[in-house]
Amino acid sequence: MSAPLRLGTRRSTLAMAQSQMVADAVAAASGRAVELVPIVSEGDVNRASLSQLGGRGVFANGLREALAADRCDFLVHSLKDLPTVQPEGLVIAATPPREDARDVVVTRDGTPLGSLAPGSRVGTGSPRRIAQALRHNPRLDIHDIRGNVDSRLARVRDGELDAVILAAAGISRLGGDLGGLQAEALGLAEWPTAPGQGSLAIETRSDIDPEVHAALAELDDEDTRVAITAERVVLNALDAGCSAPVGTHASLAGGDLRLRAVVYALDGSQRIGIDRTVRLAPGYGGETGSGNGADAADDGGPIARAARAGREAARRLLERGAADLVPRESTT
């Protein structure tokens, strides 16, 4: 009997829950048992603000070190926490089908974010969410918080905060129980989220047993990979960290990739946005919408076209002054 495959994961309740979902799917695909290997990341022990931690992969580095040292066979990451530069010797073997990419505002009584009273205390540790919240309602009192989903919800339930902003996918993966609190889903057109939000990444070593790699690859969803490629290329081309005030969302419809990217000032006072629509379906060339036709002859396939769309979106954002708004990171 083959030895169990070892899945490296952060120790948080959410990480363990989503890793168990992947473990069950990999076990079915490979015919081998999969055991979870909890690993402590820097982000789990360093309680500094996310804006101070920046884009240094604090939720990924410890896991990747364990993978490279053969203490596990593959990892499961929340893709939004993963730096855009792929380390040598490691590969993303699969991106399973994406869940809800939206953010939600959780309150005690369901008051929408834009209608919260002046001075309402809203908790989030994300510079992007802070900027977006202040743009929607400049009267808010933003509290920079860390902690797991349950602890954040408890701070609303106990009255310490009036609202928190969370990822819809995280709540869903934990069962969706808000314990009597109310959630307002924020539309992606006006509130684009972190590149890759709602997606998971299954990462392994490039020299892993081909049969293991093939089993992991069975979980890959091409539409998800195309969309997150465009989003993450925007972030990479802007030279911005994972926690920068950048919101992106890409979706596929009718053979088209529709990409929205917005860069915010940290205080929400300014934003620069762009929309692009790129034709992906085989047999079609060129672009529609805001494109200029530069990719019309591109035949590199959907992933290559998505990457080009992301680079072009970033270029146009920079031309419009995005560099003045985005904190730069050399280790994205």
Side-chain angles (χ1 to χ4, degrees):
M1 179 180 295
S2 299
L5 295 173
R6 302 161 297 167
L7 189 167
T9 175
R10 291 173 56 199
R11 295 175 179 267
S12 72
T13 302
L14 175 57
M16 296 288 281
Q18 61 195 24
S19 292
Q20 188 60 58
M21 293 166 51
V22 172
D24 293 342
V26 172
S30 66
R32 295 173 62 175
V34 178
E35 61 183 23
L36 301 188
V37 180
I39 298 166
V40 176
S41 70
E42 180 186 351
D44 295 320
V45 296
N46 188 332
R47 306 315 298 170
S49 166
L50 288 178
S51 60
Q52 295 175 331
L53 291 174
R56 295 182 288 115
V58 294
F59 294 112
N61 291 341
L63 277 70
R64 284 173 159 175
E65 289 169 3
L67 179 61
D70 195 26
R71 291 175 15 224
C72 54
D73 300 304
F74 64 102
L75 306 170
V76 172
H77 304 279
S78 290
L79 189 57
K80 67 181 179 64
D81 297 328
L82 205 59
T84 56
V85 175
Q86 189 64 26
E88 185 176 355
L90 301 183
V91 295
I92 303 297
T95 53
R98 187 180 210 166
E99 291 197 37
D100 193 339
R102 295 176 296 176
D103 279 340
V104 296
V105 177
V106 181
T107 60
R108 289 183 293 279
D109 60 5
T111 301
L113 180 73
S115 300
L116 287 172
S120 293
R121 297 157 298 180
V122 177
T124 176
S126 160
R128 170 189 59 81
R129 289 171 177 158
I130 292 171
Q132 289 174 318
L134 290 173
R135 186 163 186 85
H136 280 68
N137 188 341
R139 305 164 298 174
L140 299 175
D141 178 14
I142 304 293
H143 288 244
D144 190 346
I145 63 171
R146 296 283 306 277
N148 60 35
V149 172
D150 286 341
S151 69
R152 296 185 190 205
L153 294 177
R155 295 174 75 169
V156 177
R157 197 175 295 113
D158 297 343
E160 180 182 347
L161 296 172
D162 297 302
V164 291
I165 307 174
L166 302 170
I171 294 174
S172 174
R173 289 172 184 144
L174 289 172
D177 183 11
L178 296 177
L181 300 176
Q182 304 296 314
E184 172 200 8
L186 301 169
L188 290 163
E190 282 301 312
W191 192 287
T193 51
Q197 182 158 309
S199 303
L200 299 178
I202 302 174
E203 188 173 43
T204 189
R205 295 184 298 278
S206 55
D207 62 356
I208 199 74
D209 184 327
E211 291 187 3
V212 174
H213 190 282
L216 299 179
E218 286 191 32
L219 278 63
D220 193 56
D221 179 73
E222 184 179 20
D223 285 355
T224 296
R225 189 178 282 266
V226 168
I228 62 95
T229 294
E231 295 171 11
R232 284 167 58 78
V233 166
V234 171
L235 191 67
N236 179 269
L238 289 173
D239 191 23
C242 301
S243 63
V246 177
T248 66
H249 183 69
S251 60
L252 279 72
D256 289 341
L257 172 75
R258 298 172 181 172
L259 172 64
R260 178 161 177 74
V262 183
V263 176
Y264 300 87
L266 289 170
D267 62 1
S269 60
Q270 294 178 268
R271 75 171 182 180
I272 300 170
I274 191 167
D275 295 279
R276 287 181 62 76
T277 300
V278 180
R279 190 67 182 169
L280 296 178
Y284 294 88
E287 300 181 350
T288 62
S290 60
N292 63 3
D295 294 335
D298 170 41
D299 61 352
I303 297 294
R305 293 177 184 176
R308 282 182 168 84
R311 286 193 292 272
E312 177 65 11
R315 183 183 68 80
R316 295 190 177 196
L317 287 168
L318 290 170
E319 287 178 349
R320 296 178 184 182
D324 296 330
L325 303 182
V326 181
R328 312 305 285 273
E329 294 282 354
S330 61
T331 54
T332 318

